[in-house]
Amino acid sequence: MTPMHFTFTSAFILSLLGLTIHRTSLLSALLCLEGMMLTLYIALTLWSVENSSSAYLMSPLILLAFSACEACTGLSLLIATTRTHGNNHLQNLNLLQC
Amino acid sequence: MIYFVMLMLMCFIIGLVGVASNPSPYFAAFGLVMSAAIGCGLLASHGTSFLSFVLFLIYLGGMLVVFVYSAALTAEPYPESWLDWPVLVNVMMYLLGVGVGVYYFFGEWNMMHWMGVDELNNFSLWRGDLSGTSLMYSDGIMLLFLAGWVLLLTLFVVLELIRGLGRGALRVV
């Protein structure tokens, strides 16, 4: 366990805990997802760097493209929720079903 | 240099604690910006300057601008910062958890983890990450086409999700 591995493991677990436990607003959940994708990007890069296998360095770029798609879909869901419900608090999605 | 990298690792965790401890989205976006910038520094310290540059451009230039714009769109009158009481409890709890993890793993801490991608680092224009990522255009061409197809599909998904004339965001509520 190097400090680098400890940092990325704990950062990923922290973002996952923030996504699962605290769910006040939808935008906070999306920001926790983005933190997870940022951690995965850096972890993939450092994995292939520390194994000296530079042929796998294209995998973070593909991951970044997919995380851009995920961020776009999440933000459009946020905009749709704000349009129909007035705010983006996750408790209101159960209260005001329409 | 290793002390500077340890400082960057610590600030990376603190930035993600600031995201995960459920403040208002303005402050959470600030924490994510801090973590992304420090992640760029970490990647550059390992020699992968091109991937660090891509991370800087895509995250700080593209996605986080959109996130800050959406945070401004869904504004709240009294935002909670990290100094308010329930958020402060979460921050303390997460920092305590990380501290317990550091204490548990501190005996087998391996400080010799430094690996760069520079095989020929004297005035070299050809770093390892450049040669690695350029494989995306030859061997990984199908992955490149798949990523392009997924981006196009996401465009249609987003257009379908926010379609609608009678329920726009700018109507008078």
Side-chain angles (χ1 to χ4, degrees):
Chain A
M1 183 70 79
T2 65
M4 200 70 74
H5 292 149
F6 176 76
T7 301
F8 298 123
T9 312
S10 60
F12 187 79
I13 292 173
L14 277 176
S15 303
L16 193 60
L17 279 179
L19 179 64
T20 50
I21 296 175
H22 311 295
R23 293 173 300 164
T24 314
S25 131
L26 184 58
L27 193 54
S28 301
L30 288 177
L31 281 169
C32 286
L33 268 178
E34 280 305 305
M36 285 168 64
M37 295 309 273
L38 172 71
T39 311
L40 280 183
Y41 180 86
I42 296 173
L44 264 181
T45 309
L46 291 182
W47 169 70
S48 48
V49 164
E50 286 177 357
N51 285 325
S52 298
S53 60
S54 63
Y56 290 102
L57 274 173
M58 68 178 181
S59 55
L61 290 180
I62 305 293
L63 179 84
L64 197 61
F66 289 167
S67 80
C69 298
E70 169 254 326
C72 285
T73 312
L75 284 176
S76 62
L77 278 175
L78 171 77
I79 297 302
T81 311
T82 310
R83 279 180 176 177
T84 55
H85 288 76
N87 55 8
N88 63 345
H89 287 184
L90 285 179
Q91 277 89 12
N92 285 358
L93 301 186
N94 282 330
L95 273 180
L96 305 170
Q97 287 184 352
C98 54
Chain B
M1 187 68 189
I2 195 166
Y3 295 111
F4 188 61
V5 172
M6 292 298 273
L7 178 69
M8 283 199 289
L9 291 175
M10 199 174 68
C11 289
F12 188 79
I13 288 190
I14 288 175
L16 279 179
V17 163
V19 176
S21 63
N22 198 20
S24 282
Y26 312 105
F27 301 105
F30 174 71
L32 195 60
V33 166
M34 193 178 100
S35 286
I38 289 169
C40 288
L42 279 176
L43 292 186
S45 75
H46 276 250
T48 57
S49 53
F50 178 69
L51 285 172
S52 159
F53 188 58
V54 166
L55 183 66
F56 192 78
L57 283 185
I58 300 297
Y59 257 77
L60 297 183
M63 285 148 86
L64 282 175
V65 168
V66 178
F67 265 100
V68 169
Y69 178 72
S70 304
L73 187 64
T74 62
E76 11 177 343
Y78 302 107
E80 274 184 327
S81 75
W82 292 296
L83 293 181
D84 291 327
W85 187 243
V87 183
L88 191 63
V89 169
N90 287 329
V91 170
M92 289 303 165
M93 204 172 61
Y94 284 142
L95 286 181
L96 186 68
V98 174
V100 167
V102 169
Y103 181 73
Y104 183 71
F105 287 112
F106 197 73
E108 47 203 80
W109 223 227
N110 182 13
M111 298 298 270
M112 293 293 119
H113 61 284
W114 212 268
M115 296 285 284
V117 287
D118 302 301
E119 281 86 11
L120 302 167
N121 49 7
N122 291 329
F123 301 106
S124 173
L125 287 178
W126 192 252
R127 303 186 72 121
D129 60 335
L130 285 177
S131 64
T133 49
S134 64
L135 276 182
M136 192 172 65
Y137 297 103
S138 61
D139 283 343
I141 191 69
M142 292 312 288
L143 273 177
L144 187 64
F145 278 136
L146 179 69
W149 161 250
V150 167
L151 281 170
L152 183 66
L153 187 66
T154 310
L155 175 66
F156 288 112
V157 165
V158 167
L159 285 181
E160 190 68 26
L161 274 176
I162 61 174
R163 187 165 58 96
L165 288 175
R167 45 192 183 93
L170 293 180
R171 64 186 172 162
V172 179
V173 179

